[in-house]
Amino acid sequence: MSTHEHDDIIDAAVRILLEEDRCLTVGFSPDGISLRFPTTRKLAEHLGIPHYYVLPRFGEMERDGLIRRAERVGISTTAAGTERLLAVMAERHGDRAEEVLGAGVLRALEIRAAQASSSSEE
């Protein structure tokens, strides 16, 4: 599956983060930036589908290298997932993202995510 095939779930996550939570939880590591992803239950509720329909999609996203799941810790994006989430955020929700995060913070996250992604490809 291509990473763009997950854009419906990523878009739902972005809408939850910007509209409901109105914040992003960001983690920094030598591997790049990770963003805390909404829970499977919250995404299912937002999408109006049963929770068990979201679980296989998360498995696919994990297999495609976009997210990582850790029991009792939660779900966060990988470097590739962060880059994709920020791209969807900018393309579809740019004004709202700037309102919630501020233009400088959003741009700094995009730059750092792109740097991490390009260094992981080398």
Side-chain angles (χ1 to χ4, degrees), residues 49-69:
I49 59 176
H51 172 253
Y52 52 84
Y53 286 155
V54 175
L55 293 172
R57 294 293 304 279
F58 270 49
E60 293 167 3
M61 290 175 71
E62 191 169 28
R63 188 178 55 246
D64 291 344
L66 296 174
I67 62 169
R68 65 178 69 82
R69 297 184 282 182

Side-chain angles (χ1 to χ4, degrees), residues 13-35:
V14 167
R15 284 184 280 135
I16 290 168
L17 294 170
L18 295 177
E19 300 295 332
E20 294 178 24
D21 298 348
R22 295 189 48 78
C23 71
L24 287 179
T25 302
V26 182
F28 296 92
S29 74
D31 297 330
I33 296 173
S34 65
L35 302 173

Side-chain angles (χ1 to χ4, degrees), residues 7 10-19 22-26 35-37 77 81-102 105-107 109-110:
D7 282 359
I10 292 172
D11 185 68
V14 167
R15 284 184 280 135
I16 290 168
L17 294 170
L18 295 177
E19 300 295 332
R22 295 189 48 78
C23 71
L24 287 179
T25 302
V26 182
L35 302 173
R36 180 74 174 244
F37 220 72
T77 57
T82 298
E83 189 172 22
R84 188 68 208 138
L85 186 143
L86 290 172
V88 168
M89 185 181 288
E91 291 165 11
R92 300 179 187 182
H93 309 281
D95 291 341
R96 186 66 169 160
E98 285 188 12
E99 178 186 321
V100 172
L101 303 172
V105 170
L106 180 59
R107 186 70 190 128
L109 289 172
E110 291 171 332

